[in-house]
Amino acid sequence: MASPAPRPGGRGKKPRTSTAPETGRADEAGLGFWQVALYGVVALTLLRLAFLRVSPLEFDPAEASRWLWSRSLAWGYGGWGYGVWGRGAASPLPVWLTAVSTSFCGPGEACARAASPLLQAATAMLLGGAGVALGSWRLGAWSMLLYATLPGVALASIWLGAGSTLLFFWAASLYAFLRLRRGGGIGWAFLCGLVAGLGALSSEAMLLFPFAVALYLALSQQGRRTVTGTALAVIATLMALALAPNILWRFEHGAPLAAAVADGSFEPSRVADFLVWQFIIFGPIPLYFLLRQAIRGRRVPRADGAGSVLSADDRLLLLCLSLPVLLVFLLLSPLGHASTIAFSPGAEATAYVAAALLAAGMALDGPLFAWLKGSVAAQGLIGLALYGVIWITPQWHAAPRPLADAVARLSGWHALGQAVAAQRARELPPPKLLIDGQVPASLLLYYAQIPPDGYVQWASDPEQPAGKAPHLRPGDEGPFLLVGTREHDEKVSHFTEVQRLGDIIIPIFTGDLRRFYLDRLDRFKGPQP
């Protein structure tokens, strides 16, 4: 089938050049497979939503914190009381989305997590559109399938975090920029700036997107011809306007980044851990495709030559949006936890949005196509098998100990919350919960359904900024309820009256027992004995 002639640019003008073949070149078979891929993503998403309903995994402290924050809307979270919730400040948009999802179907774990698989599906569909924007229905279909079946996407779809929101807006920004690069008009610049700004409200890692685009424009003469300075100014302005309220909030409430990095330890061995995780997140075969193209640079190999799905400039753009991002996180990896204060956990997966397009484009017209198909099939089966293993682990007595321990860490908190709530309900008014760091505070507050005015913190942290969580003051009458893991806690000596209420014993499916001690405390004398 012959390719259509270039579309003329108007009377007396040269035909408009493009960085990729026209979108309409795909035949009916390509369009049909794109639709099949779309249905496949929808089916996979429905399976993930169904798994959330039967998942044995309870919240971890970070997820419970995000749900607790969602009870009130603000321009930022975590700067106050981050000694209680977990160090660092959280960007607001993922918390807002949690508030939306729980308002529809309730505060349960499945409802709170439901936004993650939906956003991951939308990200895959945006990649399907990006492949079409690059000129090939087949590229869009295989990019969609490759991304949707990634092991990292399977994991992110069952966890309440900022990563899914960030990846959606990163993909939306990439799609808008591709359309702008093809001469789509200033409207695409407005859309790119808007969604990039929303992405920055999801995670600071979104700020790497404009730097990656700037790198591409610095290296590509063709890119500089198609993307005007006016369009770039529009993108930068809208992104800054969207991010400004959160920046002001951070200045008002304090920024923990410098202190966290200063306190963090530098361990080069974490680099190896980071590299291993990339094989898990992106899969070995797609990662091989990415590294293979990185070695070649923008060069189009002779095997696909002029008929390549991706032009040399396409490859350069996708490389700039993937490799430098990975390099940033590779350099930050020795800092360990301190690096997650600057960027949300798992933010390095943003590199794999463009990398999925690049890997699919490399494989479509060459001998690697069979490897691409095998990778998609294997990844889809691995993700489903992972869910099955998680589901049966509490009843699987021969489960490997590392797997059992990982699932056990997200088990038993609901039972503890019910016991604490029952103890508080025995008194009117209910005693305030005393948070002292022995038990993850966010899990206690979520599972015991403690209202915002129903808890106090053991002592103030001088490093916390203004607006911190409520804390004990000398002379506070109480009563207070302390849930501890130590039978003899020296904190009780700071109260005039102490009453041991009993123990809470939570059996875990691994055979272990979690023991907690309940004390009723009255009349706080002060932090000093």
Side-chain angles (χ1 to χ4, degrees):
M1 178 177 175
S3 299
R7 188 168 53 192
R11 181 178 297 178
K13 296 181 181 180
K14 295 181 180 180
R16 179 174 61 87
T17 60
S18 173
T19 59
E22 289 294 330
T23 301
R25 288 184 181 179
D27 55 17
E28 292 183 3
L31 174 59
F33 182 66
W34 192 94
Q35 294 172 334
V36 170
L38 180 63
Y39 295 145
V41 171
V42 172
L44 190 59
T45 303
L46 292 176
L47 285 173
R48 288 168 175 168
L49 289 170
F51 173 75
L52 291 180
R53 297 296 300 178
V54 300
S55 172
L57 301 180
E58 298 175 359
F59 275 159
D60 69 8
E63 292 178 294
S65 296
R66 197 171 300 280
W67 184 89
L68 290 165
W69 287 330
S70 71
R71 294 189 295 182
S72 62
L73 299 182
W75 284 110
Y77 298 90
W80 68 274
Y82 57 82
V84 172
W85 309 101
R87 296 202 65 174
S91 298
L93 191 55
V95 179
W96 300 345
L97 291 177
T98 301
V100 172
S101 64
T102 55
S103 68
F104 279 100
C105 56
E109 296 97 334
C111 288
R113 289 168 170 160
S116 294
L118 294 174
L119 287 169
Q120 292 290 354
T123 302
M125 294 174 189
L126 282 168
L127 280 180
V132 176
L134 287 169
S136 170
W137 290 102
R138 289 178 68 232
L139 174 60
W142 282 106
S143 300
M144 197 184 330
L145 290 174
L146 179 63
Y147 178 85
T149 57
L150 288 178
V153 172
L155 290 172
S157 296
I158 60 173
W159 187 67
L160 175 61
S164 297
T165 310
L166 168 65
L167 291 170
F168 169 76
F169 285 110
W170 186 284
S173 301
L174 171 59
Y175 177 75
F177 185 78
L178 287 174
R179 298 303 298 264
L180 173 66
R181 175 172 164 264
R182 287 175 53 83
I186 198 67
W188 290 106
F190 276 94
L191 179 60
C192 185
L194 177 61
V195 294
L198 294 175
L201 288 178
S202 304
S203 170
E204 296 87 341
M206 191 70 207
L207 298 176
L208 295 175
F209 183 85
F211 287 104
V213 169
L215 177 62
Y216 160 70
L217 294 176
L219 297 175
S220 172
Q221 184 178 3
Q222 189 173 357
R224 293 192 296 273
R225 287 199 305 265
T226 55
V227 181
T228 66
T230 301
L232 293 175
V234 168
I235 294 173
T237 300
L238 287 176
M239 192 172 181
L241 289 175
L243 191 55
N246 180 252
I247 293 176
L248 294 175
W249 181 92
R250 288 174 183 267
F251 274 111
E252 180 182 354
H253 292 81
L257 173 59
V261 173
D263 294 340
S265 59
F266 183 85
E267 296 184 17
S269 61
R270 294 186 180 124
V271 174
D273 297 337
F274 175 83
L275 295 175
V276 169
W277 266 107
Q278 303 323 300
F279 279 92
I280 297 174
I281 292 172
F282 197 46
I285 294 177
L287 192 60
Y288 165 73
F289 290 158
L290 174 61
L291 297 178
R292 190 168 183 254
Q293 186 59 51
I295 295 172
R296 289 174 172 169
R298 74 173 78 185
R299 180 171 60 87
V300 179
R302 292 182 181 178
D304 43 11
S308 173
V309 173
L310 295 174
S311 69
D313 202 64
D314 294 334
R315 296 175 186 236
L316 175 62
L317 172 61
L318 298 177
L319 282 173
C320 288
L321 283 166
S322 53
L323 284 182
V325 176
L326 276 179
L327 180 60
V328 168
F329 287 100
L330 177 65
L331 295 176
L332 285 173
S333 60
L335 296 177
H337 175 71
S339 65
T340 65
I341 304 297
F343 301 110
S344 57
E348 68 273 10
T350 52
Y352 300 128
V353 174
L357 279 166
L358 184 60
M362 282 186 61
L364 281 182
D365 287 336
L368 297 175
F369 185 42
W371 287 96
L372 175 64
K373 292 190 290 185
S375 178
V376 168
Q379 289 173 179
L381 293 175
I382 289 172
L384 295 177
L386 173 65
Y387 293 164
V389 168
I390 292 174
W391 182 39
I392 68 172
T393 293
Q395 292 80 37
W396 184 14
H397 300 296
R401 189 67 188 189
L403 172 65
D405 289 341
V407 175
R409 283 194 292 270
L410 301 180
S411 306
W413 302 111
H414 182 266
L416 174 63
Q418 285 187 318
V420 172
Q423 182 60 49
R424 294 183 72 246
R426 292 190 179 99
E427 298 186 41
L428 288 176
K432 290 189 175 183
L433 190 67
L434 176 58
I435 301 298
D436 71 339
Q438 295 186 58
V439 182
S442 56
L443 295 176
L444 270 180
L445 298 179
Y446 173 77
Y447 284 110
Q449 301 180 3
I450 307 297
D453 60 349
Y455 72 97
V456 293
Q457 191 177 352
W458 161 247
S460 63
D461 185 344
E463 295 183 358
Q464 288 180 355
K468 51 185 172 290
H471 58 273
L472 282 174
R473 299 180 183 277
D476 285 350
E477 292 291 326
F480 306 105
L481 181 65
L482 175 63
V483 183
T485 56
R486 298 185 290 267
E487 183 174 6
H488 303 289
D489 193 329
E490 61 88 21
K491 292 185 180 67
V492 301
S493 63
H494 298 270
F495 295 83
T496 302
E497 297 183 17
V498 179
Q499 180 184 0
R500 170 58 55 86
L501 298 177
D503 302 347
I504 300 176
I505 299 177
I506 307 295
I508 306 298
F509 66 87
T510 57
D512 299 325
L513 298 176
R514 290 188 187 143
R515 183 183 296 270
F516 302 93
Y517 303 95
L518 291 182
D519 290 309
R520 186 184 188 278
L521 311 173
D522 290 274
R523 299 184 182 86
F524 181 53
K525 295 184 291 186
Q528 300 300 324

